[in-house]
């Protein structure tokens, strides 16, 4: 017999009182060797920035392992407490967010194959009664992406909305990627049902 | 071959826990006419099915090593005492199979007794309380239990429609132990006359699910001469029974 769940409700306009913290966007400290920075903009159906959004990320380490007891491959070999795998960034007035992390490795799909490197993302904001879930893949992982079982289920014409692409913002930041999240519109981001 | 308490690795096959899907109507729709701000902020394209794999059945376990300061008592964070009715908010976090969820972070935020949030974008002309920030966090114990001491929040007006007032509520954010279990919700108070007018509360269509968001007054748990008490149990997605393959000799 399973109980009803406590229903989801919106984070509302004032979550930034509690949820963001200075280290939130830094899954690893800035300047960590091999770190990548993912920047993007969260926009609504009118194409306007969502200035009161919250982006959360969860991912494997570069060896494809999770620091979590339910990873049945056992203890994380590579690391450790140092890589928490979790990032949290509120959006700015212009809808932008930033996550500094390490690129995840391929992760087994549980059936003998691999999933391409990816990051799970939750999107929250005022006006969202429940989170929306998406995934970040990387445009420079073409071979792995072509074999990814989740991307294979996404209509081909929409897959590009899931790709973080190398980005030059003029600051020569190494490992900079861009990943915009569009709630609606022609280029609406693919969202998932878990 | 590696064996853990949750599953096996057998020639590349992983036995993973699977988290049951919510029943229809348990969570609110993303597009809800009564709540105007949903209109431009919900996906319009159909969602794509994401089978639960390693990334979805694991999740951040944020303990004291990541978030160092817990502050479960919102009435002692400042030099002086906040205004308003002191309340204890407590309960158990469990999954839909009835299993307690221990060691999980709960973050809360709320308005003060006058219905005012301490936030730069807040314009409700009600007084700020210099002794109340309205934010707290704690980690559940081994039985999934938690307890905050805070102030009864006030109702406040919002611009959704003419004369719109949010019923008194406390915002809560929880992680559970897997990405699939993440939950942000709001706790309401029993008997609040504003509940029936509130589109956010009423966005949940399943009546039995909806009342899970209303806390229960508990005389038994009040502290005489000190504070009233409200019990609020929180139910996250639970695991389906997992069928394990027999390992071959």
């Amino acid at each position: 017999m399973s109980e009803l769940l406590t229903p989801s409700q919106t984070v509302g306009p004032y979550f930034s009182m509690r949820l963001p913290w200075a280290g939130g966007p830094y899954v690893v400290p800035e300047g960590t060797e091999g770190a990548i920075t993912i920047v993007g903009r969260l926009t609504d159906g009118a194409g306007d920035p969502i200035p009161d959004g919250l982006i959360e990320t969860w991912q494997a380490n570069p060896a494809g392992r999770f620091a979590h007891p339910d990873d049945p491959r056992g203890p994380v070999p590579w690391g450790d407490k140092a890589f928490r795998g979790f990032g949290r960034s509120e959006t700015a007035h212009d809808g932008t967010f930033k996550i500094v992390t390490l690129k995840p490795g391929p992760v087994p799909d549980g059936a003998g194959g691999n999933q391409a490197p990816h990051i799970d993302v939750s999107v929250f904001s005022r006006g969202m009664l429940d989170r929306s879930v998406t995934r970040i893949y990387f445009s420079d992982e073409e071979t792995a992406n072509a074999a990814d079982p989740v991307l294979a289920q996404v209509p081909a014409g929409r897959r590009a909305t899931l790709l973080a692409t190398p980005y030059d913002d003029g600051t020569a930041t190494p490992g900079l990627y861009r990943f915009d999240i569009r709630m609606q519109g022609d280029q609406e981001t693919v969202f998932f049902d878990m | 071959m590696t064996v853990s308490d949750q599953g096996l690795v057998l020639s590349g096959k992983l036995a993973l826990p699977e988290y049951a899907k919510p029943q229809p109507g348990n969570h609110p729709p993303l597009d809800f006419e009564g709540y105007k701000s949903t209109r431009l902020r919900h996906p319009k394209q159909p969602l794509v099915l994401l089978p639960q794999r390693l990334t979805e059945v694991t999740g951040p376990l944020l303990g004291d090593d990541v978030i160092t300061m817990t502050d479960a008592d919102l009435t002692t964070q400042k030099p002086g005492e906040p205004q308003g009715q002191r309340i204890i908010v407590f309960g158990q976090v469990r999954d839909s199979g009835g299993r307690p969820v221990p060691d999980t972070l709960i973050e809360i935020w709320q308005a003060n007794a006058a219905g005012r949030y301490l936030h730069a974008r807040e314009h409700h002309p009600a007084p700020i309380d210099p002794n109340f920030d309205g934010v707290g966090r704690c980690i559940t114990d081994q039985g999934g239990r938690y307890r905050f001491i805070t102030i009864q929040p006030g109702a406040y007006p919002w611009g959704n429609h003419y004369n719109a007032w949010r019923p008194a509520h406390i915002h809560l954010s929880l992680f559970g132990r897997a990405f699939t279990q993440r939950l942000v919700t709001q706790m309401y108070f029993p008997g609040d006359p504003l509940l029936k007018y509130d589109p956010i509360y009423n966005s949940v269509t399943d009546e039995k699910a909806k009342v899970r968001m209303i806390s229960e007054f508990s005389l038994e748990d009040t502290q005489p001469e000190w504070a009233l008490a409200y019990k609020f149990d929180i139910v996250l997605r639970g695991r389906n029974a997992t069928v394990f393959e027999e390992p071959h000799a």
Side-chain angles (χ1 to χ4, degrees), chain A residues 74-88:
Chain A
V76 178
W78 173 81
D80 48 82
K81 291 275 180 187
F83 187 73
R84 68 173 193 240
F86 173 71
R88 178 185 270 174

Side-chain angles (χ1 to χ4, degrees), chain A:
Chain A
M1 201 41 207
S2 87
E3 282 191 85
L4 284 165
L5 311 181
T6 305
S8 170
Q9 296 273 269
T10 178
V11 292
Y14 305 126
F15 64 83
S16 61
M17 292 167 62
R18 169 77 291 170
L19 298 184
W21 82 99
Y26 298 92
V27 184
V28 294
E30 204 157 29
T32 299
E33 193 180 335
I36 62 169
T37 300
I38 301 169
V39 294
R41 187 189 304 269
L42 176 63
T43 50
D44 70 11
D48 292 328
I50 295 181
D52 48 8
L54 182 74
I55 307 297
E56 288 184 351
T57 61
W58 171 245
Q59 62 170 99
N61 73 13
R65 307 296 281 259
F66 296 91
H68 193 282
D70 288 354
D71 186 332
R73 295 166 294 174
V76 178
W78 173 81
D80 48 82
K81 291 275 180 187
F83 187 73
R84 68 173 193 240
F86 173 71
R88 178 185 270 174
S89 172
E90 63 179 318
T91 59
H93 289 295
D94 59 359
T96 55
F97 57 89
K98 174 175 102 165
I99 297 287
V100 177
T101 186
L102 296 173
K103 198 171 175 183
V107 173
D109 65 8
N114 269 332
Q115 301 178 78
H118 64 273
I119 298 174
D120 275 10
V121 179
S122 298
V123 182
F124 302 88
S125 86
R126 178 179 63 82
M128 296 186 192
L129 286 161
D130 199 351
R131 66 172 165 170
S132 286
V133 169
T134 186
R135 269 187 173 190
I136 298 172
Y137 286 87
F138 296 89
S139 66
D140 49 13
E141 296 280 349
E142 281 176 39
T143 309
N145 290 343
D148 183 86
V150 174
L151 280 176
Q153 294 181 47
V154 175
R158 301 189 62 207
R159 281 177 204 153
T161 68
L162 297 177
L163 298 179
T165 53
Y167 178 55
D168 180 4
D169 66 352
T171 62
T173 305
L176 187 63
Y177 288 86
R178 173 131 192 173
F179 182 78
D180 290 331
I181 302 175
R182 301 176 189 89
M183 295 310 300
Q184 299 175 356
D186 291 346
Q187 297 298 310
E188 179 180 318
T189 298
V190 169
F191 296 101
F192 291 101
D193 170 19
M194 288 189 303

